[in-house]
Structures are given as C-alpha cells and as structure tokens.
Amino acid sequence: VRVSDVRITSLAATDPPLRNSWGVHEPYVLRTLIEITTDDGLVGYGETYGGEAIARDLRGAAANVVGMNPYAMEPLRLRLRSARLFAAFEVALLDIIGKATGESVSEILGGRVRNRVEFSSYLFYKYASDYDDWGEVMTPEAMVGETRRFREQYGFRTHKLKGGVLPPDEEVETLRLLHREFPGDKLRIDPNAVWSVETSIRVARQIEDLNVEYYEDPTWGLAGMAMVAEKTHLPLATNMVVTQFEHVAEGARLGAAQVILGDHHGWGGLRAFKSLGEICYALHLGLSQHSNNHLGISMAAMAHAAAVVPNCLYASDTHYPWQTEDILKGGKLKFTDGALEVPTGPGLGVDVDPELVGRLAEQYKSRPASGRDDVAEMRKRVGDWLPMKPRW
Amino acid sequence: VRVSDVRITSLAATDPPLRNSWGVHEPYVLRTLIEITTDDGLVGYGETYGGEAIARDLRGAAANVVGMNPYAMEPLRLRLRSARLFAAFEVALLDIIGKATGESVSEILGGRVRNRVEFSSYLFYKYASDYDDWGEVMTPEAMVGETRRFREQYGFRTHKLKGGVLPPDEEVETLRLLHREFPGDKLRIDPNAVWSVETSIRVARQIEDLNVEYYEDPTWGLAGMAMVAEKTHLPLATNMVVTQFEHVAEGARLGAAQVILGDHHGWGGLRAFKSLGEICYALHLGLSQHSNNHLGISMAAMAHAAAVVPNCLYASDTHYPWQTEDILKGGKLKFTDGALEVPTGPGLGVDVDPELVGRLAEQYKSRPASGRDDVAEMRKRVGDWLPMKPRW
C-alpha cells in the first residue's frame, strides 16, 4: 500500500468571544483537514492548526508523503524536521493503517488501557455574542452558572478555569465559589503566564485548599515556574515551558513543572504523545492533554491518545464543547458522564461528511479575518489593549 | 484475528567456555522459544532467556495471551507485571502483526531509519575446549588473535572486551595491544562491576587515550558509577545499574551513566526499547544494545529494534558469533562489513526450522546441568573459586 494523494483543506468554524490573557477569540476558529488517500482507495484523516501558513507548509511537505508506505513514519518524521507538520500527517497515516487492518488507532498504537477517556470543562470568561448562547460571563458568579451548564450538559467533574483575565483576587474568588458550589469537583486554573512569580506564589496559598489538582503556567519561563513550584505543594502544570522533547531534561532538573500537558498536534503525533507518557513515567511527572480549539477528527485522535497511555490519569482538556459546527458524519462526538467512549471502529473510528467540510471550507474563504489574532480582536473592543506580561 | 495457541520450548545450544567475572560459561546456553499461533493460522516467534523458571512462568502466563487480539499489547503488559515475560510474547505478537499486514517488524514499530545495523565484537578471555575452535585466550597477545578473527570473519570495527577476568593491568595491556594493532577501531571494556571505585578511576586514566568509546560498568551501584563518572571524560555505559524505566531518573540525576545499554528482552520488548530511545534523547543519554547469549530469533529482533531508533548510534553488542547452532531456516544470519542487513520480509523476516528446534530441544532435555551457573562451572576448574566483588 502506498500513499497516492494528499489533500489539505482549510476550515473555519464559529467560536464564541472567549477571553484569555492575550485578548479574545475571533468569531472563527481555523483548522486544517488532512486527507491522505492510498493507491487501494483508503482515505485517512488528520486535523491540525489552521490558517494560511500551516496549510502552505503542509502542501509543501506533501511531496514527502505521496508514494510512501504508511507504516514508514519514522523516516518521514526525520525528513520533515517539524513535529507539527509530521503530527498532522501521522494521524492520517494511523487512520489508514487502522482501516487497512480493521483495527482502531488505539490498537495500532499498542492497545487501549481504557475504553472511556475523561475530559474537563474548559471554563472561559467571555463576552456575550449573537452567535453563541452562553451569554456574558465576566464575574465569579456568572462563572458558577457556566460551570453548572458544563456539569449538567456533559457530566464533567473537573473544571479548568482559563485565568489571567480578571484581577487575580476575582479569579481566586471564582475558584472559591466553584469549590463552595461543587465541593467534590476538581479545579484547575491557567492564567497563561501573566502573573509575576510573587503574584503566583500569593495566589497559590489562596487556592491550595480549594481542591485544585494542578496549577497551570501561572508565570513564564522555566526559572519562574521553578521559583513558584518551590513555594507551593500544588503540582505545577505546563503547556508553555515544556512543549517539546528537548525541554524535558531542563524542566525536570529545575523542577519547573510536575505535570506535562501534552498535545499530539504539537509534540509530534499520537506516537509522540505515547513516548511522552513513557518519559513522564520514568521521571515521575504527571501527564494530561492540552487543547486548542479543535473539531471532531482531533477529538477522536485525543481520545485514542489518552486511551493508550496508562499514566495519563488527569481528565484531558478540550475546547470541543465550545464548537457548534463540526465535520463528522452523524454529528459531534458526545460526552457522557464527563467522558468520551473511545471509538472502536477501524482507524480513528469517525468519518467525515464532505458536505460539512465544504461548508466550513467555504466559511474559511469568506471569513473577514486573515488568521487568529486575539489581540487585534480585543482592540476592537478596547482600543488601547496590549497583552501585558506580567499584567499582575 | 485472535491468538489460539502458545507454545513454549526450552532450547540448549553449545557455548564455548567463555570467562567473565563470575566464572565461566557452561557448555550449553539455554534459551526459550515462544510460538504464538492465531486462529487464522499465522505463527509468530519470540525468543528469551532460558531455563526452567522462565519456561514455567511463560507457560503460566500464556493463559493471558490465548484469545487476545495481537494488537492489544498494552493491556497484556500491565496484566503480566513482568517486563521479561511481556517482552517474550511481544516479539511474537509483532511477528504476527507483521505477517498479517505483510510488513516487517521494523515498519510495524514505526518505520526503519536504517537498513543495516552495526554490531560489535564480543571479546572473551576463554579456555580451550573440544567443542569450539577458538583455542585458549587468556593473555593480551592471544586476545589480539581473537580480535583479528572477529575483524576478518565479520568485519567488526568496534570491539568490546569482557573484562574483570585478568588483573586490571593485564586487561589495560590487552586494550593497549588492540589499539596498537587496530588503531582505527573503537574499543570498550566491561569488567562487570568487579573493580573498586579507586581501581575504576585508575584504569580510566590508563585507557582514556586508547580510542575507548565507552567504559561499561567498571564498578557497582549508582553511587559508585557516579563517583567514577565524575573523574573521567570517558562516557560510562551500563546494563547493570539502569536496567528498567524505574531506574532512569535516579541514574540521570546522579550522572551514573552516560550510555544506556538497552535490551528488549529485559526492558519489556521492542516497543520498550524504542521508548527507551525517546527517553535517552530527552535526557541526552547515549543508547546501545546489550546482549546475552542468544539465537537467531533474538538476533533478528535486535536488528529491527536498532533499525527504528534514530539515536541508537553505537554498534550493538551480540554474542551471536559464539553460537554455532541456531534454529533458523537457511542457517544463521550473516554479518557483512560488521553489520546485519535488517530483514525486510513480513514480521521478523526470519523463519524457524522445526527440525533444528527439535534438535536443540532434545539437547536441552539431555544436557547434564540444570541451569546456567557460571560459578559452579568455574569451581570444576578452580575448586575454591568465589566471585569476589570487588576482586580488584
């Protein structure tokens, strides 16, 4: 079996005005669909980051993929020299191998150790918009309402608060209200590194008794994270200072983070996520999954990834509930009791609806903005907005 | 596809009286053949350590394998709770998956990054015997002759000396002669931890300029190795103090070894060896392959393992040239220019000759000794022999 064709399609799906420390999400999330076809007619799907640059790079790299044996992934990885580009193709190649053998991607990766993968609420402060029905959430009290909806609609019992938006005391108050309202639930907060070391340490003491399972990227840099880690018993988590294999040794040496938030899109694919799991095991680091906005192909891929790594014990992050549009045949994947059943059909176990792909591809072409720029979007609302670091 | 049957066969093959720090090899090396059959008639082969205990454990564990999907390896690994037992089955399962898909094991493991795998001479001091034609090798001069034969017969240009047999000065003299005779060749010495830290440091200084690429387990324990490493610029290698994933963090923290000699038989299979490669990459450790005595199935498996790990850059150890008997159809695998071509046929790419298996199984049953005991064998020659540590 050889790869005969690679198709790259840029997609845009509506996204609510979610706040973070850089600004606010634009009305569209951009993603890229990778379709790989083999000479015997199998089609494998991958999904990755969106926008012009990555689509151009993927099209440029496709010449390395056409003609290859789908199993020969390691030479492709070395040739591409980009974990992101390789990951995009790798998921599609694994989908093909699964379809060729009749096995699910999680079996191809070495076998599932769990059939259900737990996910976490991704709580965002947000503005109201006429293209989402979550309303404005800009106070601690409103966040309790948002969380209640996540709990009831999806069954999540772990909730990650995207912080770095309101002043730290209001975000602490948010966690306090959430803990009071849902005392058995686990909490996380991720201010995306806009707090100083001093603020991070002060906040750590305030949230240590609020059932916070980890404290994500309160400040920037390996050294800053290590300074905070030294002063709190909360495990620090990161998807900012340890984001590739080359960072692991120094991160571990400094004790900069105790939990790595891996992401197959960035680390080099599902096999790389599994390798990261082995490294975390060897180094006594925790492992969870990071998420950017994504659609259903990535959702299925993440479920397969978490299903094959024994020490992936934290509920994974996902933006998926925020997306109302998807490209999957039969509609979006569904969470029950806070978890996703890992698809067991051949390959990723999900299929793509060409009509929906066409719709989101059309939306990509006709959308006003050129790429995701949370700062520019924020400056439409607050004219002199600048993403300060530290802000507090 | 499901596993329908598991067959465990104990084998014995003649082995010359090779010396090491414990004593001397018995006339037979013991190995165990694992044959896994699927309900559609495929047969996969694995090979592991020999003797009664492992054969009994493998038979006991076989109930976990019968009925399983060959792809579902990770649940099997967790259920067996033994890296050795799992590894024995894993190689056979990978052989089956390869045969089912028409792909070689190295492709199943993620794709080959090299088609030839370099191996090293395994130089042993030895006694003469009537069942080998290498004669006695108990002096530095005689070792030059043994090395010459390895070079000419197999093309090896890296030579590992099994040390800890003659007094350290004579082993240093051996390396000196080898370096003078074969100045471009790379040397290694492995006294199997029978030297004190002081002796190890003294020897290090004497061999630092003899083109020694690494210095293997001169002394015992993580702490001892770290003390030696601190005093030499030679990389220390180990298959004694870092032998499982649980040892890696402390080994790295202490700087006890700079090169890990992995072994798929002990670390948990070919996938585990690949994971070890990822860990070594992340931690800036070197990686090579350790070897016990083995037959052709393990030889093929080792070639596939080294072929898929980019940072496996050292020539691998192998005892294979010392074995005159094997179970492969078509005879032993052949080294050319110091390397083995990685078999590219489906699965391991080698096949087993049932008649040869029968012969070595018969030899196992009729051999006098009950298991490998280098000390007992040595005491037949030197009545009061005791394997001292340290001896020097």
Side-chain angles (χ1 to χ4, degrees):
Chain A
V1 181
R2 297 279 151 175
V3 171
S4 56
D5 192 39
V6 173
R7 232 168 97 185
I8 306 299
T9 310
S10 295
L11 308 174
T14 56
D15 194 30
L18 307 177
R19 280 295 320 270
N20 58 36
S21 63
W22 290 281
V24 61
H25 286 204
E26 288 187 303
Y28 291 104
V29 49
L30 309 182
R31 298 292 283 174
T32 308
L33 177 69
I34 296 94
E35 287 174 83
I36 293 182
T37 310
T38 64
D39 50 16
D40 59 357
L42 289 174
V43 183
Y45 295 102
E47 178 193 330
T48 190
Y49 310 94
E52 287 307 298
I54 183 105
R56 187 187 56 233
D57 290 350
L58 286 167
R59 285 193 188 96
N64 294 291
V65 180
V66 173
M68 74 176 274
N69 174 353
Y71 284 92
M73 287 187 264
E74 203 60 3
L76 178 67
R77 181 178 76 82
L78 293 168
R79 288 170 71 179
L80 294 185
R81 288 165 302 151
S82 155
R84 290 185 167 211
L85 291 181
F86 173 71
F89 294 121
E90 186 237 29
V91 173
L93 293 170
L94 288 167
D95 191 25
I96 283 172
I97 292 172
K99 285 168 177 166
T101 56
E103 300 288 340
S104 74
V105 162
S106 33
E107 300 295 10
I108 297 300
L109 290 170
R112 272 191 301 283
V113 297
R114 53 182 71 87
N115 296 312
R116 290 168 54 79
V117 171
E118 273 186 65
F119 285 86
S120 160
S121 306
Y122 210 137
L123 307 176
F124 281 92
Y125 296 106
K126 67 182 289 297
Y127 300 126
S129 83
D130 53 13
Y131 49 93
D132 83 85
D133 62 1
W134 292 79
E136 182 182 278
V137 182
M138 289 299 287
T139 64
E141 293 72 21
M143 190 58 84
V144 172
E146 182 179 306
T147 309
R148 183 169 293 117
R149 179 164 162 188
F150 268 108
R151 290 183 98 250
E152 288 170 7
Q153 199 163 339
Y154 303 103
F156 299 139
R157 292 293 180 271
T158 303
H159 314 287
K160 163 169 165 170
L161 176 63
K162 178 60 83 181
V165 174
L166 305 184
D169 287 348
E170 290 179 49
E171 299 195 345
V172 169
E173 177 63 14
T174 302
L175 291 184
R176 216 174 262 140
L177 289 188
L178 291 178
H179 182 53
R180 195 177 70 190
E181 200 69 15
F182 315 112
D185 292 10
K186 293 174 190 160
L187 303 178
R188 308 168 178 173
I189 182 167
D190 170 20
N192 278 129
V194 291
W195 294 346
S196 68
V197 166
E198 292 82 344
T199 300
S200 301
I201 293 170
R202 182 173 61 78
V203 170
R205 299 207 49 182
Q206 294 177 287
I207 65 175
E208 278 176 349
D209 296 322
L210 301 180
N211 211 11
V212 171
E213 61 173 354
Y214 60 65
Y215 187 26
E216 180 178 345
D217 289 310
T219 197
W220 64 94
L222 286 167
M225 288 286 280
M227 291 181 212
V228 177
E230 211 184 319
K231 299 289 188 187
T232 178
H233 68 74
L234 289 175
L236 261 58
T238 187
N239 78 301
M240 298 181 80
V241 296
V242 179
T243 59
Q244 53 190 57
F245 291 105
E246 289 78 0
H247 302 159
V248 173
E250 189 64 0
R253 192 181 73 81
L254 290 171
Q258 290 68 51
V259 180
I260 309 295
L261 306 177
D263 184 327
H264 74 268
H265 304 89
W267 281 79
L270 299 175
R271 294 150 58 259
F273 184 77
K274 194 167 145 66
S275 297
L276 178 59
E278 307 271 1
I279 291 172
C280 287
Y281 178 80
L283 299 181
H284 294 276
L285 297 170
L287 177 68
S288 187
Q289 280 191 107
H290 165 260
S291 157
N292 287 116
N293 284 95
H294 63 87
L295 301 173
I297 296 291
S298 284
M299 187 77 263
M302 288 178 68
H304 286 290
V308 300
V309 178
N311 50 322
C312 189
L313 293 177
Y314 293 100
S316 297
D317 283 344
T318 178
H319 288 63
Y320 196 56
W322 290 108
Q323 263 51 70
T324 49
E325 298 172 315
D326 199 1
I327 56 174
L328 295 190
K329 212 170 257 179
K332 288 183 69 180
L333 292 167
K334 285 184 181 50
F335 300 95
T336 52
D337 298 330
L340 211 59
E341 289 282 339
V342 184
T344 54
L348 291 169
V350 294
D351 207 359
V352 153
D353 183 329
E355 200 185 306
L356 295 175
V357 171
R359 194 182 303 169
L360 297 201
E362 194 46 52
Q363 201 156 260
Y364 179 89
K365 288 177 201 143
S366 62
R367 82 197 187 287
S370 64
R372 178 174 161 183
D373 187 341
D374 294 355
V375 177
E377 187 69 16
M378 188 71 181
R379 288 172 73 96
K380 293 181 192 166
R381 297 169 186 266
V382 182
D384 61 350
W385 170 260
L386 287 174
M388 307 286 204
K389 186 192 272 189
R391 181 171 296 276
W392 292 284
Chain B
V1 181
R2 297 280 151 175
V3 171
S4 56
D5 192 38
V6 173
R7 232 167 96 184
I8 307 299
T9 310
S10 295
L11 307 173
T14 56
D15 195 29
L18 307 176
R19 278 297 319 269
N20 59 36
S21 64
W22 290 280
V24 61
H25 286 204
E26 288 188 301
Y28 292 104
V29 47
L30 310 182
R31 298 292 285 173
T32 308
L33 177 68
I34 295 93
E35 287 175 82
I36 293 182
T37 311
T38 64
D39 50 15
D40 58 358
L42 290 173
V43 183
Y45 295 102
E47 178 194 331
T48 190
Y49 310 96
E52 287 306 297
I54 183 104
R56 189 188 54 232
D57 290 350
L58 286 166
R59 286 195 187 95
N64 294 291
V65 179
V66 173
M68 74 176 275
N69 174 352
Y71 284 92
M73 286 187 266
E74 203 60 3
L76 177 67
R77 181 178 76 80
L78 293 169
R79 287 171 70 180
L80 294 186
R81 288 165 302 150
S82 154
R84 291 186 166 209
L85 291 181
F86 173 71
F89 294 120
E90 186 237 29
V91 173
L93 294 170
L94 288 166
D95 192 25
I96 283 173
I97 292 172
K99 285 167 176 166
T101 56
E103 300 288 340
S104 75
V105 163
S106 33
E107 300 294 11
I108 298 300
L109 290 170
R112 270 190 304 282
V113 296
R114 54 182 69 87
N115 295 312
R116 290 168 54 79
V117 171
E118 274 186 64
F119 285 86
S120 160
S121 306
Y122 210 137
L123 307 176
F124 280 93
Y125 297 107
K126 67 181 289 298
Y127 299 126
S129 83
D130 54 11
Y131 49 92
D132 84 86
D133 63 359
W134 291 78
E136 182 182 278
V137 182
M138 289 299 287
T139 64
E141 292 74 19
M143 190 58 83
V144 172
E146 182 180 305
T147 309
R148 185 170 290 117
R149 179 164 162 188
F150 268 108
R151 291 182 97 250
E152 288 172 7
Q153 198 163 337
Y154 304 103
F156 298 139
R157 291 295 179 269
T158 303
H159 314 287
K160 163 169 164 169
L161 176 65
K162 177 61 82 181
V165 174
L166 304 183
D169 287 350
E170 292 179 47
E171 299 195 344
V172 169
E173 178 61 14
T174 303
L175 291 184
R176 217 174 261 138
L177 289 188
L178 291 178
H179 182 54
R180 195 178 70 191
E181 199 70 16
F182 315 112
D185 292 10
K186 293 175 191 160
L187 303 178
R188 307 168 179 174
I189 182 167
D190 170 20
N192 277 129
V194 292
W195 294 345
S196 68
V197 166
E198 292 83 342
T199 299
S200 301
I201 292 170
R202 183 173 60 79
V203 170
R205 299 208 51 183
Q206 295 177 288
I207 65 175
E208 278 177 349
D209 296 323
L210 302 179
N211 211 11
V212 171
E213 62 174 354
Y214 58 67
Y215 187 25
E216 180 178 345
D217 290 309
T219 197
W220 65 93
L222 287 166
M225 288 285 281
M227 290 180 211
V228 178
E230 210 183 321
K231 297 292 188 184
T232 178
H233 68 71
L234 289 175
L236 261 56
T238 188
N239 79 298
M240 298 181 80
V241 298
V242 178
T243 59
Q244 53 190 57
F245 291 105
E246 289 78 2
H247 302 159
V248 173
E250 189 64 0
R253 192 181 72 82
L254 290 170
Q258 290 69 52
V259 180
I260 308 295
L261 305 178
D263 184 328
H264 74 269
H265 304 89
W267 281 79
L270 300 174
R271 293 149 60 257
F273 184 77
K274 195 168 145 66
S275 297
L276 179 58
E278 306 270 3
I279 291 172
C280 287
Y281 178 81
L283 298 181
H284 294 276
L285 296 169
L287 177 68
S288 186
Q289 280 191 107
H290 164 260
S291 157
N292 287 116
N293 284 93
H294 63 86
L295 302 172
I297 295 291
S298 284
M299 187 76 263
M302 286 177 69
H304 286 291
V308 300
V309 178
N311 50 322
C312 189
L313 294 178
Y314 293 101
S316 297
D317 284 344
T318 178
H319 287 63
Y320 196 56
W322 290 107
Q323 263 51 71
T324 50
E325 298 173 314
D326 198 2
I327 56 174
L328 295 190
K329 213 170 257 180
K332 288 183 68 181
L333 292 167
K334 285 185 182 48
F335 300 95
T336 52
D337 298 331
L340 211 59
E341 290 281 341
V342 184
T344 53
L348 291 169
V350 294
D351 207 359
V352 154
D353 183 331
E355 200 185 305
L356 294 175
V357 171
R359 193 182 303 169
L360 298 200
E362 193 48 50
Q363 199 156 260
Y364 179 87
K365 286 177 201 144
S366 61
R367 82 194 187 289
S370 64
R372 178 177 160 181
D373 186 342
D374 294 356
V375 176
E377 187 69 13
M378 188 69 180
R379 288 173 72 97
K380 293 182 193 166
R381 297 169 186 265
V382 183
D384 62 349
W385 171 261
L386 286 175
M388 307 285 205
K389 186 190 275 187
R391 181 172 298 277
W392 292 285

